[in-house]
Amino acid sequence: MLEQQTGPMALSIALISFLALIDHGIIFKQIKQVIVISMSVLILYGNITQTLVDQEAMRQGKIAAENISKGIVATLSIRGMYDPHKYYAVIGSVNKSPLFYPSQIYGRANTYAKTAGDWWGVGGEQLNEYSWMGIYRHLLNINLPLCATEDYIRLSNSEEYQNMPLFPAEGSIIEVDGIILIKVS
């Protein structure tokens, strides 16, 4: 699947340029105009359709990220584990959570448009950490202090983390070395 919805345009520019340079009479000019207009309409239709698919995937990912994040905070509060003076490590991608149910549209979206998608952990633990920080601080306006990057990396590679079940299962939230560890995926 193309990662850029405008990818085919590069090929169409060469074809349109070629057609513009050739001149074989009135009938060819009419055929040329039909081809250029048809290609333009198809490209526009493809771009609009893919943009709508990408926007829907972003909406679905955002809703899932919000709901899972709120569920984590609610669970912390119920278990008496929320303290604005403690540090937290939320590890994992929303789209790999058992709570996330992607639609067919989400699957057809470009990778970069999949909010909470596969790219989430590509940059390593730091991108994962920054993603959760953005959700809690900027999207939900919830004070959930995240641990230092070094702790985040250490915890995500720890045996404790590897043996934890996924949130919301019992045992998916534990305290390790004074840091509350939540395993999303």
Side-chain angles (χ1 to χ4, degrees):
M1 180 160 108
L2 288 172
E3 289 302 318
Q4 292 291 331
Q5 60 199 29
T6 56
M9 291 185 83
L11 297 174
S12 63
I13 290 170
L15 181 60
I16 290 170
S17 298
F18 174 75
L19 290 172
L21 294 175
I22 298 175
D23 186 17
H24 293 294
I26 292 183
I27 293 177
F28 184 76
K29 284 182 181 179
Q30 290 172 344
I31 292 172
K32 183 170 66 171
Q33 285 176 340
V34 169
I35 291 172
V36 169
I37 290 171
S38 299
M39 285 181 57
S40 299
V41 168
L42 285 173
I43 290 169
L44 184 61
Y45 173 77
N47 281 332
I48 290 170
T49 302
Q50 190 60 50
T51 298
L52 292 172
V53 167
D54 289 351
Q55 287 178 342
E56 177 60 18
M58 287 187 268
R59 187 188 71 77
Q60 289 178 20
K62 179 183 173 203
I63 290 170
E66 285 177 348
N67 289 333
I68 290 172
S69 299
K70 288 176 184 177
I72 290 170
V73 171
T75 304
L76 290 170
S77 295
I78 291 168
R79 294 182 185 171
M81 298 178 83
Y82 177 76
D83 181 350
H85 304 292
K86 286 193 174 196
Y87 288 99
Y88 298 83
V90 183
I91 301 176
S93 176
V94 170
N95 82 327
K96 301 235 186 310
S97 166
L99 297 174
F100 181 60
Y101 182 76
S103 70
Q104 289 180 338
I105 289 177
Y106 188 88
R108 289 185 14 225
N110 287 308
T111 302
Y112 63 81
K114 293 179 181 178
T115 303
D118 293 332
W119 56 267
W120 191 305
V122 172
E125 288 81 5
Q126 195 169 23
L127 179 59
N128 193 330
E129 173 192 0
Y130 289 160
S131 297
W132 285 109
M133 186 184 310
I135 289 171
Y136 282 108
R137 289 185 184 171
H138 305 295
L139 187 61
L140 299 176
N141 295 322
I142 293 176
N143 181 22
L144 190 75
L146 297 178
C147 64
T149 302
E150 300 79 35
D151 291 325
Y152 206 92
I153 293 168
R154 178 180 54 80
L155 289 169
S156 66
N157 292 316
S158 70
E159 193 171 318
E160 291 97 336
Y161 171 76
Q162 301 303 323
N163 294 326
M164 291 171 67
L166 301 179
F167 180 82
E170 191 66 38
S172 61
I173 301 176
I174 61 172
E175 188 166 348
V176 179
D177 300 329
I179 299 170
I180 307 295
L181 176 59
I182 301 108
K183 184 175 182 178
V184 175
S185 68

